Amino acid sequence: MNKATQERVQVMRLEDIMGDRFGRYSKYIIQDRALPDVRDGLKPVQRRILYAMYKDGNTYEKPFRKSAKTVGNVIGNYHPHGDSSVYDAMVRLSQDWKLREPLVQMHGNNGSIDGDPAAAMRYTEARLSAISGLLLKDIDKNLVDFVPNFDDSMTEPTVLPAFFPNLLVNGATGISAGYATDIPPHNLGEIIDAVIYRMNHKQCALDDILTFVQGPDFPTGAIIQGEQEIKKAYTTGKGRIVIRSKAEIEPVRGGREQIVVTEIPYEVNKANLVKKIDDLRIDKKVEGIMEVRDETDRNGLRIVIELKKDVKSEIVLNYLFKNTDLQISYNINMVAIHNKRPVLMGLMDLIDAYIQHQKEVVTNRSNFDLKRARERQHIVEGLIKMVSVLDEVVQIIRHSKDKADAKKNLIQAFGFSERQAEAIVMLQLYRLTNTDVTALEKENEELTKTIQELTAILSSETKLLKVIQDELKQVKKQFETPRRSVIQKHIQEIKIDETDMVVKEDVMVAITKDGYVKRTSLRSYNATKSDTSTMKEGDELVAKLQLDTLQTLVMFTNRGSFIYLPVFKLPEFKWKDIGQHVSNLVTMDSEEKIIAVHAVSNFKTEEYFFFTTASGMVKKTRLSDLEVTRYNRAMVAMSVKEDDELISVIRCTFMNDVIMVTKNGYLLKFSDDEITPTGLKAMGVKGIQLGSGDQLIKVVLASVNDEILLLTQRGNIKKLKVKDIALSTRNKKGCLGIKTIKSNPHQFVDCIKVLPKQEVSILTIDGITKLNTILKPVDLNSVGTNMVDAEVFKFVVEDIE
């Protein structure tokens, strides 16, 4: 490294370099990029676009010009950045769904509310809108400060005169380093009335201003809810309002209805909104929508949501308000550059800053006009004086050597000033033919009057404010439009009972032990040749039920959990499909198995669930305890020890005897009065004492006149009357219910309560054997009747007719 280079090297800490550079960058994007100026409501790129169009004569009373020419002028003279960023900013200034009063008029495709991009700048044409003329009016009269542009070849304004309060009328949105702004658009007439009132009542309160300004007025209309939030935002600069689409419910043929949306919230993409509503229909997140159509045309926005017959339209509409952008929250955050600093400002602060700007602008204009008037009056006085000595003046000019000599001679002869002499010698000869002293004297009088008026304005703040108010009134008269957004006092809370949106329909439901669930329409089920549900190898069916979509499934697992799942939430499949695992619908342990399923229509009944574990623990819990509002995960139905598991869940409505059956042939009967109803997380109480090597195989709830069937592994079946089993108390071993045999003893594998007209079969290793014989009750010591010569697993019970 040579010495010269070495002298230029600076040794600095990386943290210092990063902090310094990012600090400079942050200052730049805060002050000169992303945030609007409180005085004219424009960001630098917007201001440069408007000023470039003004300087190029591309104003509203002249023909349109290619947008590419304006973009080129902006980049070449004022804004050395990408052409796309300049063109995008220019397009936004022309979009009447983004700006309450568009500042640019554009011919051609300038985008759409569907988010479509504008045509390329070589195709579109643009010019300033009429109201933009007010932002730039009289800017050549030194009303605002000018600074050199990026290459010092010309100057540009630091702010525009802005003869209407553009920041509040058109709003602003932007994000910079550490700051963001979201200022909503307002109605021009309301804001001007508020500004004028504030000028006349300097001590007024915000409530006085709010008699003029109802709230934001979005170009897309819609309904704004939350008067208190609007007031809070106008007080502090921050607040959250709700914007709701304007929708009506219309009747259509066939006794059906449709929802018609004519206005949507500000800055919502209509195409995405329509797609979202249609996705809800396709995914069946909301029942009852038949079709969604976008019927928007040149007459205005129109989204039609056609509903099925007998669907509650208000409930569907509320669901769409809650789950789509038909209703949004808009966070007001009124940050603007004030005195070169980003400031969070309330409505009064914004109005005061605009009034101060207008006072400075009108003062500068008055000074400029006053100077011009005095200069012109001085010239006119010289011309009047010249008329009285016109022949002598002509004679002196004719005998002068040149222009400078003529001026010198006139000054010496008649006492003209330098400027008066310059004006006289510059007069064209034809002007001498009709130089009328009366016209000059009249002009002199008008100039004197103008000077007096301007002097009065500059010397009196009252007259200065009167000028500003008169001009604002003219703006209001010319450009005021009716309010588009409707203000509603309160934010309406949307409460939706999903069942209200469900169309009642009979369906077939299947649930397997491994947790696969499916819902099938009866039409699909009846069209299937086999009524056997398709399952994975090794899985088994826990429940096959015909239900309606308004019922609720309560599924219990071997770990004591329960899953609450409305039928309409079940995924719809063909009957021959396996279905979907329940873990896709609710969060649960992958190792858990479904052991019992119950369908509930009403949880407010005097019913109970009777729980039994493999170790003989029992518990009774009210059905109403299992009703929940949030069901995104499996919940505890009974606390079960690690080495235990839930094996039985029985639904009961009245007092019964509890009969517990063990593998080694023991029967224990006790009254369920001994078991007090407990909550979900309770562990329960001991029901039966199990001997060594014994295990509980079944629990039956039966009345004194009922009969039960007992099945052994050797294929024997015996029928017992419940009254023949001795009544005991819980936590006992019970009595032996089968004759003891030393060689190959009988062991119970299943037990059921016999119901009238109930068809019973036996599941064996060879398949299912139907039980045709009507058995007679026997005593406890009997081994029953042998029905099959095969290994036996359990009873198979058909549905009761």
Side-chain angles (χ1 to χ4, degrees):
M1 186 183 298
N2 59 43
K3 186 177 180 181
T5 304
Q6 196 168 5
E7 289 176 353
R8 293 167 56 198
V9 173
Q10 299 179 41
V11 179
M12 297 178 65
R13 296 171 68 240
L14 180 62
E15 298 95 300
D16 296 337
I17 295 172
M18 291 298 294
D20 176 65
R21 301 302 190 273
F22 187 75
R24 293 186 198 178
Y25 171 72
S26 299
K27 181 176 183 293
Y28 168 74
I29 62 170
I30 289 170
Q31 292 183 336
D32 295 311
R33 180 180 292 180
L35 301 181
D37 192 293
V38 72
R39 297 168 292 178
D40 62 4
L42 298 172
K43 302 176 186 179
V45 65
Q46 296 171 330
R47 188 178 301 115
R48 288 164 176 167
I49 290 169
L50 297 180
Y51 184 66
M53 294 176 79
Y54 170 80
K55 290 297 288 183
D56 202 36
N58 191 13
T59 51
Y60 68 93
E61 73 279 0
K62 295 179 182 175
F64 287 84
R65 294 185 190 172
K66 283 290 182 186
S67 301
K69 183 176 183 182
T70 298
V71 172
N73 286 339
V74 173
I75 293 173
N77 296 328
Y78 308 109
H79 198 72
H81 296 274
D83 59 348
S84 61
S85 62
V86 174
Y87 183 55
D88 289 347
M90 182 178 173
V91 166
R92 192 179 194 279
L93 292 174
S94 73
Q95 293 176 332
D96 58 7
W97 62 93
K98 292 286 182 70
L99 270 66
R100 187 63 178 79
E101 302 292 340
L103 302 178
V104 172
Q105 292 179 348
M106 191 168 281
H107 271 174
N109 173 18
N110 68 330
S112 75
I113 198 170
D114 291 325
D116 301 316
M121 57 186 166
R122 62 182 177 273
Y123 298 120
T124 59
E125 298 176 339
R127 67 183 179 190
L128 291 175
S129 65
I131 202 166
S132 284
L134 297 173
L135 290 177
L136 294 145
K137 189 177 75 169
D138 294 336
I139 195 170
D140 295 328
K141 293 185 177 182
N142 297 331
L143 306 189
V144 294
D145 293 334
F146 279 73
V147 294
N149 67 342
F150 64 91
D151 62 359
D152 294 339
S153 61
M154 57 181 65
T155 59
E156 61 176 310
T158 58
V159 67
L160 299 187
F163 285 101
F164 76 97
N166 178 58
L167 180 60
L168 283 167
V169 170
N170 278 322
T173 182
I175 301 173
S176 66
Y179 292 92
T181 186
D182 270 300
I183 303 175
H186 291 78
N187 184 271
L188 176 72
E190 292 180 8
I191 293 297
I192 287 178
D193 287 341
V195 170
I196 292 173
Y197 185 85
R198 178 65 170 168
M199 288 181 189
N200 294 329
H201 304 81
K202 295 180 181 179
Q203 303 302 318
C204 69
L206 177 63
D207 288 336
D208 300 320
I209 296 296
L210 293 183
T211 59
F212 301 98
V213 182
Q214 296 181 42
D217 186 23
F218 294 106
T220 50
I223 298 165
I224 301 171
Q225 295 182 338
E227 276 189 0
Q228 285 304 313
E229 281 294 320
I230 293 173
K231 186 174 181 180
K232 176 187 171 185
Y234 286 162
T235 304
T236 65
K238 294 174 76 76
R240 175 183 166 276
I241 59 175
V242 169
I243 312 176
R244 172 177 288 191
S245 300
K246 190 174 287 185
E248 294 181 356
I249 296 171
E250 298 179 353
V252 291
R253 65 186 181 281
R256 293 182 291 108
E257 292 181 325
Q258 64 184 19
I259 299 169
V260 179
V261 179
T262 53
E263 294 177 8
I264 62 175
Y266 184 54
E267 292 195 331
V268 166
N269 184 306
K270 175 169 64 65
N272 291 345
L273 172 61
V274 173
K275 184 178 183 301
K276 172 66 174 175
I277 297 172
D278 203 41
D279 287 345
L280 291 176
R281 176 189 67 83
I282 293 169
D283 297 339
K284 298 194 174 180
K285 294 290 182 63
V286 54
E287 299 283 348
I289 295 180
M290 181 181 293
E291 186 182 7
V292 182
R293 298 190 304 273
D294 184 359
E295 297 182 355
T296 303
D297 57 19
R298 67 179 62 190
N299 297 318
L301 185 144
R302 180 179 168 90
I303 301 170
V304 177
I305 304 160
E306 198 168 326
L307 305 178
K308 296 176 182 176
K309 195 172 183 179
D310 299 328
V311 171
K312 298 176 181 176
S313 308
E314 289 289 347
I315 294 171
V316 173
L317 181 57
N318 282 339
Y319 182 88
L320 296 177
F321 280 146
K322 189 168 186 177
N323 293 281
T324 72
D325 283 345
L326 278 181
Q327 177 173 305
I328 65 167
S329 294
Y330 183 90
N331 293 300
I332 298 173
N333 182 32
M334 300 197 290
V335 176
I337 300 298
H338 184 42
N339 294 330
K340 299 184 179 180
R341 297 179 59 236
V343 182
L344 180 66
M345 308 175 76
L347 180 63
M348 300 281 278
D349 300 325
L350 293 172
I351 290 174
D352 288 343
Y354 176 73
I355 292 172
Q356 183 59 38
H357 177 55
Q358 283 304 293
K359 287 163 70 173
E360 293 173 6
V361 166
V362 175
T363 298
N364 291 341
R365 185 182 64 186
S366 299
N367 279 321
F368 182 87
D369 289 343
L370 179 60
K371 182 181 176 183
R372 284 279 184 92
R374 283 174 172 167
E375 289 174 353
R376 177 60 184 168
Q377 187 177 49
H378 182 62
I379 300 298
V380 169
E381 287 173 348
L383 293 176
I384 292 173
K385 182 178 178 182
M386 177 205 71
V387 172
S388 62
V389 290
L390 182 58
D391 293 337
E392 292 88 335
V393 169
V394 173
Q395 196 71 19
I396 289 173
I397 293 174
R398 287 185 64 187
H399 290 88
S400 298
K401 291 184 290 185
D402 52 25
K403 177 183 174 183
D405 187 46
K407 287 167 59 178
K408 178 183 175 183
N409 293 333
L410 288 172
I411 292 169
Q412 289 177 351
F414 303 107
F416 290 119
S417 68
E418 176 75 24
R419 295 178 63 194
Q420 288 174 332
E422 175 73 21
I424 291 170
V425 298
M426 291 299 293
L427 275 175
Q428 295 172 313
L429 286 174
Y430 81 90
R431 295 288 301 274
L432 298 178
T433 60
N434 62 351
T435 304
D436 186 354
V437 68
T438 306
L440 290 171
E441 287 175 347
K442 184 177 180 182
E443 183 182 357
N444 190 36
E445 290 174 5
E446 291 175 353
L447 286 169
T448 300
K449 184 179 178 182
T450 299
I451 290 169
Q452 290 173 349
E453 290 175 352
L454 292 171
T455 303
I457 290 170
L458 292 169
S459 60
S460 170
E461 183 172 325
T462 302
K463 291 185 177 179
L464 177 68
L465 294 176
K466 180 69 166 55
V467 171
I468 298 171
Q469 292 172 24
D470 289 344
E471 292 184 357
L472 286 173
K473 287 175 183 177
Q474 282 298 115
V475 173
K476 178 184 174 183
K477 182 178 179 181
Q478 184 178 356
F479 294 103
E480 183 183 25
T481 55
R483 164 171 276 278
R484 296 178 189 174
S485 295
V486 177
I487 307 292
Q488 291 182 351
K489 188 170 185 179
H490 300 292
I491 296 176
Q492 182 180 342
E493 185 179 357
I494 301 174
K495 292 183 178 179
I496 299 172
D497 185 348
E498 286 186 290
T499 58
D500 288 338
M501 296 189 299
V502 178
V503 178
K504 188 174 181 179
E505 177 188 4
D506 288 332
V507 294
M508 189 64 71
V509 172
I511 302 100
T512 73
K513 186 174 182 178
D514 284 346
Y516 285 89
V517 298
K518 65 183 173 185
R519 173 183 120 198
T520 305
S521 67
L522 289 185
R523 179 184 298 176
S524 174
Y525 174 75
N526 293 329
T528 306
K529 294 181 180 179
S530 172
D531 64 350
T532 304
S533 178
T534 306
M535 292 177 286
K536 284 191 171 183
E537 187 176 351
D539 199 2
E540 61 181 273
L541 197 65
V542 175
K544 186 184 84 172
L545 306 166
Q546 181 176 329
L547 307 171
D548 66 62
T549 47
L550 295 179
Q551 289 180 279
T552 301
L553 289 178
V554 183
M555 297 179 274
F556 298 91
T557 75
N558 61 330
R559 295 307 309 154
S561 300
F562 79 95
I563 297 165
Y564 180 103
L565 205 57
V567 173
F568 70 86
K569 287 281 189 180
L570 294 177
E572 190 165 359
F573 289 93
K574 294 178 181 177
W575 188 250
K576 63 182 180 180
D577 296 332
I578 293 175
Q580 187 178 46
H581 199 272
V582 72
S583 62
N584 293 314
L585 305 173
V586 296
T587 305
M588 63 176 288
D589 191 335
S590 60
E591 299 300 319
E592 293 185 76
K593 301 293 183 182
I594 307 292
I595 59 135
V597 177
H598 293 274
V600 182
S601 300
N602 181 14
F603 283 86
K604 306 300 183 186
T605 61
E606 294 297 322
E607 291 183 273
Y608 299 90
F609 280 120
F610 190 89
F611 301 92
T612 310
T613 73
S615 67
M617 299 295 291
V618 294
K619 186 182 86 159
K620 188 164 64 174
T621 298
R622 290 181 177 85
L623 170 64
S624 57
D625 290 351
L626 278 78
E627 185 175 22
V628 295
T629 54
R630 294 184 179 181
Y631 39 86
N632 58 345
R633 60 182 177 84
M635 291 156 284
V636 177
M638 179 181 183
S639 294
V640 178
K641 291 182 179 179
E642 285 294 326
D643 58 350
D644 198 5
E645 67 176 0
L646 189 65
I647 62 168
S648 170
V649 182
I650 303 171
R651 187 172 169 185
C652 53
T653 56
F654 52 87
M655 296 302 176
N656 298 276
D657 288 333
V658 180
I659 302 171
M660 304 187 77
V661 183
T662 75
K663 180 179 74 171
N664 290 343
Y666 284 92
L667 305 176
L668 176 65
K669 184 175 84 170
F670 59 90
S671 172
D672 75 344
D673 288 343
E674 295 188 51
I675 304 173
T676 304
T678 54
L680 293 176
K681 294 185 179 181
M683 188 174 289
V685 295
K686 193 71 173 175
I688 189 171
Q689 289 185 6
L690 296 172
S692 177
D694 202 359
Q695 69 183 59
L696 186 66
I697 59 107
K698 200 65 179 281
V699 176
V700 176
L701 300 184
S703 63
V704 68
N705 295 319
D706 286 337
E707 296 175 336
I708 61 173
L709 286 181
L710 292 156
L711 176 67
T712 76
Q713 91 285 9
R714 290 173 56 178
N716 281 29
I717 298 176
K718 63 183 291 184
K719 181 185 284 188
L720 284 179
K721 290 182 178 180
V722 171
K723 64 183 178 182
D724 291 342
I725 304 172
L727 183 65
S728 181
T729 58
R730 69 173 182 82
N731 201 15
K732 300 287 194 230
K733 191 172 182 179
C735 60
L736 199 60
I738 196 164
K739 184 178 180 180
T740 303
I741 302 173
K742 289 184 179 180
S743 176
N744 192 17
H746 287 278
Q747 293 179 332
F748 288 140
V749 294
D750 202 2
C751 173
I752 60 169
K753 182 169 68 173
V754 183
L755 299 173
K757 298 185 180 180
Q758 188 166 35
E759 293 186 355
V760 180
S761 301
I762 307 167
L763 178 63
T764 72
I765 196 168
D766 296 329
I768 294 177
T769 300
K770 193 168 185 180
L771 184 62
N772 295 316
T773 306
I774 300 175
L775 300 174
K776 293 182 179 181
V778 296
D779 59 38
L780 288 174
N781 198 38
S782 169
V783 294
T785 305
N786 182 261
M787 303 301 295
V788 290
D789 292 322
E791 186 179 353
V792 177
F793 298 116
K794 65 176 181 178
F795 286 121
V796 179
V797 181
E798 298 295 326
D799 292 336
I800 301 172
E801 294 179 3

